[in-house]
Amino acid sequence: MDLIKKNLITKETEDAVLLYIDETHIRSYHVLRSTWSEVGRQKQVPTFGHHAHVSRFGAVNVHDGETVLHQTTAANAATFLDFLRMLKERYLDRLMVLVLDNARIHHAKMVKEFLREEGQCFHFIYLPPYSPQLNPIERLWKWLKDTVIANVFHKDRNDIIQAITRFVNYIHERPEEVLQRLGCAG
């Protein structure tokens, strides 16, 4: 198996795919970032007193910039399994080497049972604890949040979803830009 891992890290094959995966939450907490404004007039973003959010699972292929994103209401073991099933359908008959963090949901009993029963197509490589800098999809999440929620007011969850959909459509059309933003372009 070590030979397979070494091969995948340097070169993708027709029988295998290397994906970096993670989950994130896009919240309507109104994030203010550096921005231009008129001298003496601070940028203001309205708020409405409650917080809407959207959760997403994602996978990025650092060889070709392809992304697979899955929207969900929460990030838990059950929704993680839904994401794994989605990946399994997308990459039929391929070994998926998934690089991921050590979140509890990734080690849950139901995930282990799924992998034992029907997860022969998956191989997990866990990153060391507290090392998000080693997972390129973290840079995708930052780009998403900078684009979707920084200095922006979203009136409700649906408004957040629409903004995320625009972002997802944009990146799906531009895999080269994804690779550049992730620092994976050759």
Side-chain angles (χ1 to χ4, degrees), residues 3-186:
L3 181 60
I4 291 173
K5 279 194 260 183
K6 287 177 187 172
N7 229 5
L8 284 172
I9 291 171
T10 58
K11 176 179 154 292
E12 190 168 273
T13 69
E14 289 181 20
D15 298 332
V17 61
L18 174 66
L19 301 169
Y20 287 81
I21 70 171
D22 194 27
E23 56 282 334
T24 192
H25 308 283
I26 301 95
R27 296 180 173 94
S28 65
Y29 303 164
H30 307 290
V31 177
L32 290 178
R33 298 266 166 81
S34 297
T35 186
W36 292 99
S37 64
E38 190 177 324
V39 174
R41 297 194 61 187
Q42 182 178 353
K43 170 90 175 184
Q44 293 184 8
V45 178
T47 185
F48 50 78
H50 66 278
H51 302 293
H53 80 279
V54 175
S55 296
R56 284 259 170 177
F57 285 93
V60 64
N61 181 328
V62 295
H63 295 286
D64 64 12
E66 179 184 25
T67 57
V68 179
L69 300 169
H70 175 65
Q71 184 175 303
T72 183
T73 55
N76 55 42
T79 55
F80 179 55
L81 283 180
D82 292 341
F83 182 59
L84 291 178
R85 288 183 187 103
M86 182 179 147
L87 290 174
K88 189 174 178 178
E89 286 179 29
R90 184 172 189 122
Y91 297 104
L92 282 174
D93 303 322
R94 290 182 82 182
L95 172 66
M96 286 170 277
V97 177
L98 305 180
V99 181
L100 63 165
D101 62 23
N102 279 285
R104 285 181 16 185
I105 64 172
H106 301 156
H107 294 281
K109 183 179 177 182
M110 66 187 335
V111 172
K112 289 178 182 178
E113 289 171 5
F114 168 80
L115 293 173
R116 202 171 19 260
E117 292 171 15
E118 55 181 295
Q120 302 80 10
C121 59
F122 295 106
H123 179 75
F124 285 10
I125 298 176
Y126 292 101
L127 293 169
Y130 308 107
S131 58
Q133 74 281 5
L134 298 178
N135 194 341
I137 200 165
E138 295 288 355
R139 292 185 284 284
L140 180 73
W141 295 148
K142 181 182 181 325
W143 181 18
L144 167 68
K145 291 174 182 180
D146 285 348
T147 302
V148 171
I149 63 171
N151 302 328
V152 177
F153 172 71
H154 294 287
K155 64 181 187 274
D156 56 24
R157 185 173 186 276
N158 190 47
D159 199 28
I160 297 171
I161 291 169
Q162 288 176 6
I164 293 169
T165 300
R166 286 189 298 274
F167 177 83
V168 169
N169 291 340
Y170 179 87
I171 65 170
H172 282 166
E173 294 172 5
R174 294 167 180 83
E176 308 83 28
E177 186 175 349
V178 170
L179 290 173
Q180 288 174 337
R181 289 284 196 133
L182 300 184
C184 300

